[in-house]
Amino acid sequence: MSDSPSAAPVVLDLWCELECPDCHQALSDVHALRARYGDRLEIRLRHFPLDKHKHAYAAAQATEEAVVQGKGWPYIEAVLARTADLARAGEPLLIEVAGELGLDAEEFDTALIDGRHLLIVDADQAEGKAIGVTGTPTYVIGDERLDGGKSQEGLRARIEEIADRLLAAED
């Protein structure tokens, strides 16, 4: 533990859902931001399942189970890589991906049935609505909200500009 104020990373909240093709495309930006900032930028996935994607809510719950089992981001990336498959296959794909990653697929199935992660998903969605999130992906960094659902053009540059400013203010 450090008493240095610069020890805390800048936080980028990514309001996302795993059946969203635009969120799939946003993965390249996430990878580039991780490569540029490392642990100085904490990227947090926030759930915002959209009604138009019928498996997004289950995918959000499954993501939380992956976090519990220690592979949140690998699971997120694996499911986002297969958004079209998720749209067709639904929950069986979520369990299949868990198995592919060496997670306890049976526990995923149970978690989807018993709804143990519903409160987390609902809380994220409510918070997103409260701050004006209407689509995915939406990024929140500092006090700025950037909507990637309409266009992702130039968003990574804008995120980098804000992150650089916030990191410079900490130094």
Side-chain angles (χ1 to χ4, degrees):
M1 186 167 166
S2 170
D3 292 327
S4 168
S6 64
V10 169
V11 174
L12 172 65
D13 282 332
L14 169 56
W15 298 87
C16 180
E17 61 118 291
L18 300 187
E19 198 175 337
C20 171
D22 292 331
C23 291
H24 168 84
Q25 291 179 341
L27 261 184
S28 63
D29 287 340
V30 168
H31 292 151
L33 291 166
R34 280 195 187 130
R36 178 172 176 169
Y37 294 102
D39 61 4
R40 296 179 306 141
L41 180 69
E42 178 185 353
I43 302 173
R44 300 187 308 196
L45 180 101
R46 305 297 303 273
H47 303 292
F48 202 78
L50 301 171
D51 291 338
K52 67 182 179 180
H53 296 132
K54 76 179 196 179
H55 305 295
Y57 199 81
Q61 293 175 72
T63 296
E64 287 304 314
E65 183 59 30
V67 169
V68 168
Q69 293 190 31
K71 290 192 178 176
W73 273 104
Y75 186 80
I76 291 163
E77 292 187 18
V79 175
L80 276 175
R82 297 169 71 179
T83 54
D85 294 341
L86 178 58
R88 283 190 303 277
E91 290 182 22
L93 177 79
L94 299 172
I95 295 165
E96 178 183 321
V97 170
E100 290 169 0
L101 292 173
L103 299 169
D104 184 343
E106 204 170 290
E107 196 61 29
F108 267 74
D109 191 34
T110 302
L112 290 171
I113 292 167
D114 71 19
R116 68 183 74 158
H117 303 297
L118 289 173
L119 291 177
I120 294 169
V121 175
D122 289 346
D124 271 5
Q125 191 169 41
E127 184 180 339
K129 286 179 181 177
I131 65 169
V133 174
T134 58
T136 59
T138 296
Y139 304 86
V140 176
I141 183 167
D143 59 355
E144 296 194 45
R145 186 180 72 242
L146 306 168
D147 184 354
K150 294 182 177 82
S151 170
Q152 294 181 60
E153 186 70 35
L155 274 184
R156 186 170 74 209
R158 183 72 183 119
I159 291 167
E160 290 172 350
E161 176 186 310
I162 297 165
D164 290 344
R165 184 181 73 233
L166 293 171
L167 288 165
E170 289 183 357
D171 291 339

